[in-house]
PDB file of all heavy atoms in Angstrom:
ATOM      1  N   PHE A  64     200.127 -34.833  84.814  1.00 57.00           N
ATOM      2  CA  PHE A  64     200.718 -33.506  84.676  1.00 57.00           C
ATOM      3  C   PHE A  64     200.940 -32.945  86.064  1.00 57.00           C
ATOM      4  O   PHE A  64     200.327 -33.378  87.046  1.00 57.00           O
ATOM      5  CB  PHE A  64     199.850 -32.588  83.815  1.00 57.00           C
ATOM      6  CG  PHE A  64     198.506 -32.251  84.399  1.00 57.00           C
ATOM      7  CD1 PHE A  64     198.265 -31.008  84.939  1.00 57.00           C
ATOM      8  CD2 PHE A  64     197.460 -33.169  84.375  1.00 57.00           C
ATOM      9  CE1 PHE A  64     197.029 -30.679  85.455  1.00 57.00           C
ATOM     10  CE2 PHE A  64     196.218 -32.857  84.877  1.00 57.00           C
ATOM     11  CZ  PHE A  64     196.002 -31.609  85.425  1.00 57.00           C
ATOM     12  N   ASN A 131     196.487 -38.452  85.479  1.00 51.00           N
ATOM     13  CA  ASN A 131     195.401 -38.271  84.512  1.00 51.00           C
ATOM     14  C   ASN A 131     194.666 -39.599  84.326  1.00 51.00           C
ATOM     15  O   ASN A 131     195.081 -40.440  83.553  1.00 51.00           O
ATOM     16  CB  ASN A 131     195.968 -37.788  83.180  1.00 51.00           C
ATOM     17  CG  ASN A 131     194.904 -37.784  82.096  1.00 51.00           C
ATOM     18  OD1 ASN A 131     193.729 -37.692  82.405  1.00 51.00           O
ATOM     19  ND2 ASN A 131     195.330 -37.888  80.852  1.00 51.00           N
ATOM     20  N   LEU A 133     191.625 -39.593  83.309  1.00 47.00           N
ATOM     21  CA  LEU A 133     190.483 -39.189  82.508  1.00 47.00           C
ATOM     22  C   LEU A 133     190.739 -39.390  81.022  1.00 47.00           C
ATOM     23  O   LEU A 133     190.027 -38.862  80.189  1.00 47.00           O
ATOM     24  CB  LEU A 133     190.199 -37.706  82.772  1.00 47.00           C
ATOM     25  CG  LEU A 133     190.125 -37.328  84.249  1.00 47.00           C
ATOM     26  CD1 LEU A 133     190.038 -35.839  84.382  1.00 47.00           C
ATOM     27  CD2 LEU A 133     188.947 -37.996  84.904  1.00 47.00           C
ATOM     28  N   LEU A 136     188.647 -39.034  77.353  1.00 64.00           N
ATOM     29  CA  LEU A 136     187.424 -38.459  77.887  1.00 64.00           C
ATOM     30  C   LEU A 136     186.230 -39.312  77.490  1.00 64.00           C
ATOM     31  O   LEU A 136     186.301 -40.118  76.573  1.00 64.00           O
ATOM     32  CB  LEU A 136     187.218 -37.039  77.335  1.00 64.00           C
ATOM     33  CG  LEU A 136     188.197 -35.947  77.770  1.00 64.00           C
ATOM     34  CD1 LEU A 136     187.816 -34.655  77.071  1.00 64.00           C
ATOM     35  CD2 LEU A 136     188.206 -35.755  79.261  1.00 64.00           C
ATOM     36  N   ARG A 168     182.037 -33.313  76.186  1.00 93.00           N
ATOM     37  CA  ARG A 168     182.783 -34.465  76.702  1.00 93.00           C
ATOM     38  C   ARG A 168     183.323 -34.188  78.104  1.00 93.00           C
ATOM     39  O   ARG A 168     183.354 -35.083  78.958  1.00 93.00           O
ATOM     40  CB  ARG A 168     183.931 -34.810  75.750  1.00 93.00           C
ATOM     41  CG  ARG A 168     183.475 -35.337  74.393  1.00 93.00           C
ATOM     42  CD  ARG A 168     184.669 -35.636  73.497  1.00 93.00           C
ATOM     43  NE  ARG A 168     185.482 -36.713  74.039  1.00 93.00           N
ATOM     44  CZ  ARG A 168     186.730 -36.960  73.668  1.00 93.00           C
ATOM     45  NH1 ARG A 168     187.321 -36.183  72.765  1.00 93.00           N
ATOM     46  NH2 ARG A 168     187.388 -37.973  74.196  1.00 93.00           N
ATOM     47  N   ILE A 169     183.755 -32.959  78.347  1.00 94.00           N
ATOM     48  CA  ILE A 169     184.238 -32.597  79.687  1.00 94.00           C
ATOM     49  C   ILE A 169     183.125 -32.762  80.714  1.00 94.00           C
ATOM     50  O   ILE A 169     183.317 -33.367  81.782  1.00 94.00           O
ATOM     51  CB  ILE A 169     184.766 -31.150  79.688  1.00 94.00           C
ATOM     52  CG1 ILE A 169     186.064 -31.049  78.883  1.00 94.00           C
ATOM     53  CG2 ILE A 169     184.998 -30.652  81.116  1.00 94.00           C
ATOM     54  CD1 ILE A 169     186.513 -29.620  78.630  1.00 94.00           C
ATOM     55  N   ILE A 170     181.945 -32.226  80.398  1.00 94.00           N
ATOM     56  CA  ILE A 170     180.816 -32.303  81.327  1.00 94.00           C
ATOM     57  C   ILE A 170     180.385 -33.761  81.524  1.00 94.00           C
ATOM     58  O   ILE A 170     180.062 -34.187  82.642  1.00 94.00           O
ATOM     59  CB  ILE A 170     179.634 -31.458  80.812  1.00 94.00           C
ATOM     60  CG1 ILE A 170     180.051 -29.991  80.638  1.00 94.00           C
ATOM     61  CG2 ILE A 170     178.457 -31.564  81.758  1.00 94.00           C
ATOM     62  CD1 ILE A 170     180.525 -29.322  81.895  1.00 94.00           C
ATOM     63  N   SER A 171     180.401 -34.552  80.453  1.00 92.00           N
ATOM     64  CA  SER A 171     180.013 -35.970  80.557  1.00 92.00           C
ATOM     65  C   SER A 171     181.013 -36.744  81.400  1.00 92.00           C
ATOM     66  O   SER A 171     180.631 -37.629  82.183  1.00 92.00           O
ATOM     67  CB  SER A 171     179.904 -36.590  79.159  1.00 92.00           C
ATOM     68  OG  SER A 171     178.880 -35.965  78.403  1.00 92.00           O
ATOM     69  N   THR A 172     182.286 -36.425  81.256  1.00 91.00           N
ATOM     70  CA  THR A 172     183.312 -37.094  82.068  1.00 91.00           C
ATOM     71  C   THR A 172     183.134 -36.743  83.536  1.00 91.00           C
ATOM     72  O   THR A 172     183.228 -37.606  84.414  1.00 91.00           O
ATOM     73  CB  THR A 172     184.719 -36.679  81.593  1.00 91.00           C
ATOM     74  OG1 THR A 172     184.872 -37.028  80.222  1.00 91.00           O
ATOM     75  CG2 THR A 172     185.792 -37.386  82.406  1.00 91.00           C
ATOM     76  N   PHE A 173     182.863 -35.472  83.830  1.00 91.00           N
ATOM     77  CA  PHE A 173     182.602 -35.053  85.209  1.00 91.00           C
ATOM     78  C   PHE A 173     181.404 -35.803  85.780  1.00 91.00           C
ATOM     79  O   PHE A 173     181.418 -36.226  86.946  1.00 91.00           O
ATOM     80  CB  PHE A 173     182.361 -33.542  85.252  1.00 91.00           C
ATOM     81  CG  PHE A 173     182.129 -33.000  86.634  1.00 91.00           C
ATOM     82  CD1 PHE A 173     183.190 -32.537  87.395  1.00 91.00           C
ATOM     83  CD2 PHE A 173     180.855 -32.949  87.177  1.00 91.00           C
ATOM     84  CE1 PHE A 173     182.979 -32.039  88.679  1.00 91.00           C
ATOM     85  CE2 PHE A 173     180.630 -32.460  88.449  1.00 91.00           C
ATOM     86  CZ  PHE A 173     181.702 -31.992  89.197  1.00 91.00           C
ATOM     87  N   ALA A 174     180.360 -35.977  84.964  1.00 89.00           N
ATOM     88  CA  ALA A 174     179.160 -36.688  85.431  1.00 89.00           C
ATOM     89  C   ALA A 174     179.482 -38.129  85.789  1.00 89.00           C
ATOM     90  O   ALA A 174     178.944 -38.665  86.778  1.00 89.00           O
ATOM     91  CB  ALA A 174     178.075 -36.632  84.355  1.00 89.00           C
ATOM     92  N   GLN A 176     182.344 -39.210  86.859  1.00 84.00           N
ATOM     93  CA  GLN A 176     183.155 -39.172  88.079  1.00 84.00           C
ATOM     94  C   GLN A 176     182.323 -38.896  89.320  1.00 84.00           C
ATOM     95  O   GLN A 176     182.654 -39.351  90.411  1.00 84.00           O
ATOM     96  CB  GLN A 176     184.210 -38.069  87.970  1.00 84.00           C
ATOM     97  CG  GLN A 176     185.362 -38.355  87.037  1.00 84.00           C
ATOM     98  CD  GLN A 176     186.335 -37.198  87.054  1.00 84.00           C
ATOM     99  OE1 GLN A 176     185.973 -36.048  86.821  1.00 84.00           O
ATOM    100  NE2 GLN A 176     187.572 -37.495  87.356  1.00 84.00           N
ATOM    101  N   HIS A 177     181.244 -38.118  89.161  1.00 84.00           N
ATOM    102  CA  HIS A 177     180.496 -37.624  90.322  1.00 84.00           C
ATOM    103  C   HIS A 177     179.006 -37.900  90.145  1.00 84.00           C
ATOM    104  O   HIS A 177     178.208 -36.970  89.935  1.00 84.00           O
ATOM    105  CB  HIS A 177     180.735 -36.134  90.509  1.00 84.00           C
ATOM    106  CG  HIS A 177     182.172 -35.764  90.675  1.00 84.00           C
ATOM    107  ND1 HIS A 177     182.885 -36.016  91.831  1.00 84.00           N
ATOM    108  CD2 HIS A 177     183.053 -35.191  89.811  1.00 84.00           C
ATOM    109  CE1 HIS A 177     184.123 -35.596  91.687  1.00 84.00           C
ATOM    110  NE2 HIS A 177     184.256 -35.095  90.472  1.00 84.00           N
ATOM    111  N   SER A 190     182.664 -24.219  83.016  1.00 97.00           N
ATOM    112  CA  SER A 190     183.580 -25.032  82.211  1.00 97.00           C
ATOM    113  C   SER A 190     183.822 -24.391  80.851  1.00 97.00           C
ATOM    114  O   SER A 190     184.946 -24.417  80.333  1.00 97.00           O
ATOM    115  CB  SER A 190     183.014 -26.451  82.036  1.00 97.00           C
ATOM    116  OG  SER A 190     182.844 -27.087  83.275  1.00 97.00           O
ATOM    117  N   LEU A 193     186.318 -21.543  81.290  1.00 96.00           N
ATOM    118  CA  LEU A 193     187.659 -22.083  81.541  1.00 96.00           C
ATOM    119  C   LEU A 193     188.290 -22.633  80.267  1.00 96.00           C
ATOM    120  O   LEU A 193     189.504 -22.526  80.058  1.00 96.00           O
ATOM    121  CB  LEU A 193     187.587 -23.176  82.613  1.00 96.00           C
ATOM    122  CG  LEU A 193     187.235 -22.713  84.033  1.00 96.00           C
ATOM    123  CD1 LEU A 193     186.948 -23.911  84.927  1.00 96.00           C
ATOM    124  CD2 LEU A 193     188.354 -21.870  84.629  1.00 96.00           C
ATOM    125  N   ASN A 198     193.210 -26.312  78.523  1.00 92.00           N
ATOM    126  CA  ASN A 198     192.807 -27.502  77.789  1.00 92.00           C
ATOM    127  C   ASN A 198     191.852 -28.343  78.621  1.00 92.00           C
ATOM    128  O   ASN A 198     191.584 -28.047  79.790  1.00 92.00           O
ATOM    129  CB  ASN A 198     194.029 -28.311  77.324  1.00 92.00           C
ATOM    130  CG  ASN A 198     194.803 -28.923  78.478  1.00 92.00           C
ATOM    131  OD1 ASN A 198     194.228 -29.419  79.441  1.00 92.00           O
ATOM    132  ND2 ASN A 198     196.126 -28.880  78.408  1.00 92.00           N
ATOM    133  N   GLU A 199     191.340 -29.387  78.027  1.00 92.00           N
ATOM    134  CA  GLU A 199     190.256 -30.150  78.645  1.00 92.00           C
ATOM    135  C   GLU A 199     190.630 -30.760  79.986  1.00 92.00           C
ATOM    136  O   GLU A 199     189.812 -30.823  80.908  1.00 92.00           O
ATOM    137  CB  GLU A 199     189.746 -31.238  77.691  1.00 92.00           C
ATOM    138  CG  GLU A 199     190.807 -32.190  77.187  1.00 92.00           C
ATOM    139  CD  GLU A 199     191.453 -31.740  75.893  1.00 92.00           C
ATOM    140  OE1 GLU A 199     191.652 -30.523  75.707  1.00 92.00           O
ATOM    141  OE2 GLU A 199     191.765 -32.609  75.063  1.00 92.00           O
ATOM    142  N   TYR A 200     191.885 -31.205  80.135  1.00 90.00           N
ATOM    143  CA  TYR A 200     192.289 -31.850  81.375  1.00 90.00           C
ATOM    144  C   TYR A 200     192.475 -30.836  82.490  1.00 90.00           C
ATOM    145  O   TYR A 200     192.169 -31.107  83.653  1.00 90.00           O
ATOM    146  CB  TYR A 200     193.548 -32.675  81.144  1.00 90.00           C
ATOM    147  CG  TYR A 200     193.295 -33.792  80.157  1.00 90.00           C
ATOM    148  CD1 TYR A 200     193.706 -33.690  78.832  1.00 90.00           C
ATOM    149  CD2 TYR A 200     192.605 -34.933  80.545  1.00 90.00           C
ATOM    150  CE1 TYR A 200     193.450 -34.705  77.923  1.00 90.00           C
ATOM    151  CE2 TYR A 200     192.342 -35.950  79.649  1.00 90.00           C
ATOM    152  CZ  TYR A 200     192.760 -35.834  78.336  1.00 90.00           C
ATOM    153  OH  TYR A 200     192.492 -36.828  77.441  1.00 90.00           O
ATOM    154  N   GLU A 201     192.951 -29.670  82.125  1.00 91.00           N
ATOM    155  CA  GLU A 201     193.054 -28.602  83.114  1.00 91.00           C
ATOM    156  C   GLU A 201     191.668 -28.133  83.549  1.00 91.00           C
ATOM    157  O   GLU A 201     191.444 -27.842  84.728  1.00 91.00           O
ATOM    158  CB  GLU A 201     193.851 -27.439  82.518  1.00 91.00           C
ATOM    159  CG  GLU A 201     195.308 -27.764  82.290  1.00 91.00           C
ATOM    160  CD  GLU A 201     196.041 -26.693  81.499  1.00 91.00           C
ATOM    161  OE1 GLU A 201     195.384 -25.872  80.838  1.00 91.00           O
ATOM    162  OE2 GLU A 201     197.272 -26.686  81.550  1.00 91.00           O
ATOM    163  N   VAL A 202     190.735 -28.065  82.606  1.00 93.00           N
ATOM    164  CA  VAL A 202     189.371 -27.679  82.962  1.00 93.00           C
ATOM    165  C   VAL A 202     188.776 -28.679  83.949  1.00 93.00           C
ATOM    166  O   VAL A 202     188.164 -28.296  84.958  1.00 93.00           O
ATOM    167  CB  VAL A 202     188.482 -27.566  81.701  1.00 93.00           C
ATOM    168  CG1 VAL A 202     187.023 -27.351  82.091  1.00 93.00           C
ATOM    169  CG2 VAL A 202     188.965 -26.433  80.806  1.00 93.00           C
ATOM    170  N   LEU A 203     188.954 -29.966  83.692  1.00 92.00           N
ATOM    171  CA  LEU A 203     188.457 -30.984  84.620  1.00 92.00           C
ATOM    172  C   LEU A 203     189.095 -30.832  85.996  1.00 92.00           C
ATOM    173  O   LEU A 203     188.425 -30.964  87.029  1.00 92.00           O
ATOM    174  CB  LEU A 203     188.728 -32.377  84.055  1.00 92.00           C
ATOM    175  CG  LEU A 203     187.712 -32.875  83.031  1.00 92.00           C
ATOM    176  CD1 LEU A 203     188.265 -34.032  82.225  1.00 92.00           C
ATOM    177  CD2 LEU A 203     186.421 -33.286  83.718  1.00 92.00           C
ATOM    178  N   TYR A 204     190.381 -30.557  86.015  1.00 91.00           N
ATOM    179  CA  TYR A 204     191.064 -30.355  87.299  1.00 91.00           C
ATOM    180  C   TYR A 204     190.474 -29.151  88.030  1.00 91.00           C
ATOM    181  O   TYR A 204     190.185 -29.217  89.235  1.00 91.00           O
ATOM    182  CB  TYR A 204     192.562 -30.146  87.066  1.00 91.00           C
ATOM    183  CG  TYR A 204     193.325 -29.801  88.322  1.00 91.00           C
ATOM    184  CD1 TYR A 204     193.670 -30.781  89.248  1.00 91.00           C
ATOM    185  CD2 TYR A 204     193.691 -28.479  88.593  1.00 91.00           C
ATOM    186  CE1 TYR A 204     194.352 -30.459  90.409  1.00 91.00           C
ATOM    187  CE2 TYR A 204     194.372 -28.147  89.744  1.00 91.00           C
ATOM    188  CZ  TYR A 204     194.704 -29.141  90.650  1.00 91.00           C
ATOM    189  OH  TYR A 204     195.378 -28.822  91.799  1.00 91.00           O
ATOM    190  N   LEU A 205     190.252 -28.062  87.312  1.00 93.00           N
ATOM    191  CA  LEU A 205     189.769 -26.830  87.938  1.00 93.00           C
ATOM    192  C   LEU A 205     188.332 -26.966  88.440  1.00 93.00           C
ATOM    193  O   LEU A 205     188.006 -26.480  89.528  1.00 93.00           O
ATOM    194  CB  LEU A 205     189.893 -25.668  86.963  1.00 93.00           C
ATOM    195  CG  LEU A 205     191.330 -25.207  86.669  1.00 93.00           C
ATOM    196  CD1 LEU A 205     191.351 -24.235  85.503  1.00 93.00           C
ATOM    197  CD2 LEU A 205     191.963 -24.587  87.899  1.00 93.00           C
ATOM    198  N   ILE A 206     187.464 -27.605  87.670  1.00 95.00           N
ATOM    199  CA  ILE A 206     186.082 -27.740  88.151  1.00 95.00           C
ATOM    200  C   ILE A 206     186.001 -28.716  89.317  1.00 95.00           C
ATOM    201  O   ILE A 206     185.124 -28.593  90.181  1.00 95.00           O
ATOM    202  CB  ILE A 206     185.106 -28.130  87.011  1.00 95.00           C
ATOM    203  CG1 ILE A 206     185.489 -29.449  86.365  1.00 95.00           C
ATOM    204  CG2 ILE A 206     185.020 -27.021  85.997  1.00 95.00           C
ATOM    205  CD1 ILE A 206     184.528 -29.883  85.265  1.00 95.00           C
ATOM    206  N   ASN A 207     186.923 -29.672  89.364  1.00 91.00           N
ATOM    207  CA  ASN A 207     186.978 -30.540  90.549  1.00 91.00           C
ATOM    208  C   ASN A 207     187.457 -29.773  91.764  1.00 91.00           C
ATOM    209  O   ASN A 207     187.019 -30.045  92.886  1.00 91.00           O
ATOM    210  CB  ASN A 207     187.876 -31.749  90.282  1.00 91.00           C
ATOM    211  CG  ASN A 207     187.142 -32.900  89.629  1.00 91.00           C
ATOM    212  OD1 ASN A 207     186.390 -33.620  90.272  1.00 91.00           O
ATOM    213  ND2 ASN A 207     187.331 -33.051  88.323  1.00 91.00           N
ATOM    214  N   ARG A 208     188.353 -28.813  91.566  1.00 91.00           N
ATOM    215  CA  ARG A 208     188.761 -27.942  92.676  1.00 91.00           C
ATOM    216  C   ARG A 208     187.561 -27.143  93.188  1.00 91.00           C
ATOM    217  O   ARG A 208     187.381 -26.985  94.401  1.00 91.00           O
ATOM    218  CB  ARG A 208     189.850 -26.976  92.204  1.00 91.00           C
ATOM    219  CG  ARG A 208     191.177 -27.603  91.859  1.00 91.00           C
ATOM    220  CD  ARG A 208     192.043 -27.882  93.060  1.00 91.00           C
ATOM    221  NE  ARG A 208     192.422 -26.686  93.774  1.00 91.00           N
ATOM    222  CZ  ARG A 208     193.260 -26.693  94.813  1.00 91.00           C
ATOM    223  NH1 ARG A 208     193.793 -27.835  95.230  1.00 91.00           N
ATOM    224  NH2 ARG A 208     193.570 -25.580  95.449  1.00 91.00           N
ATOM    225  N   LEU A 209     186.747 -26.637  92.279  1.00 94.00           N
ATOM    226  CA  LEU A 209     185.554 -25.894  92.689  1.00 94.00           C
ATOM    227  C   LEU A 209     184.583 -26.786  93.446  1.00 94.00           C
ATOM    228  O   LEU A 209     183.955 -26.362  94.421  1.00 94.00           O
ATOM    229  CB  LEU A 209     184.866 -25.290  91.463  1.00 94.00           C
ATOM    230  CG  LEU A 209     185.635 -24.193  90.726  1.00 94.00           C
ATOM    231  CD1 LEU A 209     184.888 -23.780  89.460  1.00 94.00           C
ATOM    232  CD2 LEU A 209     185.862 -22.978  91.623  1.00 94.00           C
TER     233      LEU A 209
END
Side-chain angles (χ1 to χ4, degrees):
F64 65 105
N131 172 25
L133 310 172
L136 292 178
R168 293 179 65 198
I169 290 170
I170 301 300
S171 297
T172 301
F173 182 91
Q176 287 181 305
H177 303 286
S190 300
L193 292 170
N198 67 40
E199 55 269 36
Y200 297 102
E201 292 171 342
V202 172
L203 278 162
Y204 175 78
L205 289 169
I206 60 178
N207 273 284
R208 292 279 297 185
L209 293 175

